[in-house]
Amino acid sequence: MTQYREPIHETVSHGKKTFPYTVYHARIPEWLLGFPLHWHDEFEIILVTYGQGLFTVNSRTSLCHTGDVIIIPPGSIHSIERNQNDYVEYFNILFSFSLLEENPESHCFRNFLTLISESTCLKNCFLTQENPLTAKIAPLAKDLIDHRDEKYSGYELMIKSRLYEILHHLIKENLSDEKASPQSEREKENARKLKKVLSYTKEHFAEKISISEAASQCSLSESRFMTFFKNQTGTSYVQYLNDYRLEAAAAQIQNSHTPVTDVALQNGFENISYFIRSFKKKFGCTPLSYRKQ
């Protein structure tokens, strides 16, 4: 069975191997339904250019609006969702630190890039349009976005210079003065556990998954796991699993001619009536209407 979901852990190379940098443009729900919880090894900067949407970074969710900037350090678990019936348009700038410093033992890598790669070191991942730091970062991000399709000689140098400027401002004004605390170490451990259960869900969502099986991925009891997952994601595991299956089914309906009954069964729904009711509640129409649209 083909799975129509983005990977939980993105291992795809963003940009070229010799120049790991790229800019993506997205609109929700016109071009995609949303981006579920996932993580990747690149640093990401998101600039919201229209509307508003729900952005989550490491269990913290914020309703972000036009002009806001979201900072996502490498390895951070994050997602993007539609807020009720709102629309949101944004650009993602992704790059690997190896683009800026090839030697991980260099002064800049050890003293600055390594530091800013720790999400717990940032004071705030959500920078509103009114934030003075946004006034410095947003124009640099817009410059990268406006010239994203240009391939003239020397363009690569401009990209690197803008990225260095952005990181300079983040380190200067958005870096916590406090060193890693026991709490931040617990946050790292919680992130590790959450990544494990998310990966397990991605691999087995089409099968029966009990709370006990999901909890075992984190070495937690069922009750502690349910509390842990709700605290980390803002939703219950049952709801997350159901939404995951529904979005997988919606993607399959959109990209194939597979009968709706088969789509339901292939994505973990044994009760077809329940699948149709849940689908209509989430997407506002039946699976067949969704396919026609």
Side-chain angles (χ1 to χ4, degrees), residues 174-200:
N174 197 37
L175 208 61
S176 175
D177 295 329
E178 299 179 2
K179 294 184 178 179
S181 63
Q183 178 62 35
S184 67
E185 292 301 321
R186 286 198 296 272
E187 289 177 351
K188 292 179 184 178
E189 177 62 16
N190 287 340
R192 185 190 67 78
K193 290 180 178 180
L194 183 58
K195 287 178 180 178
K196 193 169 182 179
V197 74
L198 292 179
S199 295
Y200 179 82

Side-chain angles (χ1 to χ4, degrees), residues 121-159:
C121 291
L122 292 178
K123 295 177 183 177
N124 187 11
C125 288
F126 303 103
L127 307 178
T128 64
Q129 187 177 20
E130 296 76 21
N131 192 314
L133 183 57
T134 305
K136 297 179 180 180
I137 292 178
L140 298 170
K142 288 179 180 178
D143 200 15
L144 292 170
I145 293 167
D146 291 342
H147 296 87
R148 64 188 182 279
D149 295 325
E150 296 186 24
K151 305 297 180 184
Y152 59 82
S153 178
Y155 171 62
E156 295 83 356
L157 296 177
M158 187 277 279
I159 291 175

Side-chain angles (χ1 to χ4, degrees), residues 7 39 46 92 168 203-204 212 228 230 232 280-281:
W39 72 93
I46 297 177
N92 314 62
H168 165 71
E203 294 298 324
H204 301 279
S212 176
F228 163 80
K230 183 66 178 285
Q232 292 296 309
K280 188 174 182 179
K281 182 179 179 181

Side-chain angles (χ1 to χ4, degrees), residues 40-93:
H40 45 69
D41 300 322
E42 290 81 14
F43 197 94
E44 183 172 2
I45 302 164
I46 297 177
L47 177 64
V48 181
T49 54
Y50 175 78
Q52 59 181 15
L54 292 169
F55 293 77
T56 298
V57 181
N58 289 332
S59 76
R60 295 179 177 88
T61 301
S62 178
L63 180 61
C64 298
H65 307 78
T66 304
D68 291 353
V69 172
I70 300 95
I71 304 298
I72 305 174
S76 299
I77 300 173
H78 57 288
S79 67
I80 306 171
E81 300 176 70
R82 188 182 189 186
N83 179 52
Q84 298 179 349
N85 294 323
D86 294 331
Y87 291 75
V88 62
E89 182 175 358
Y90 59 91
F91 285 89
N92 314 62
I93 299 171

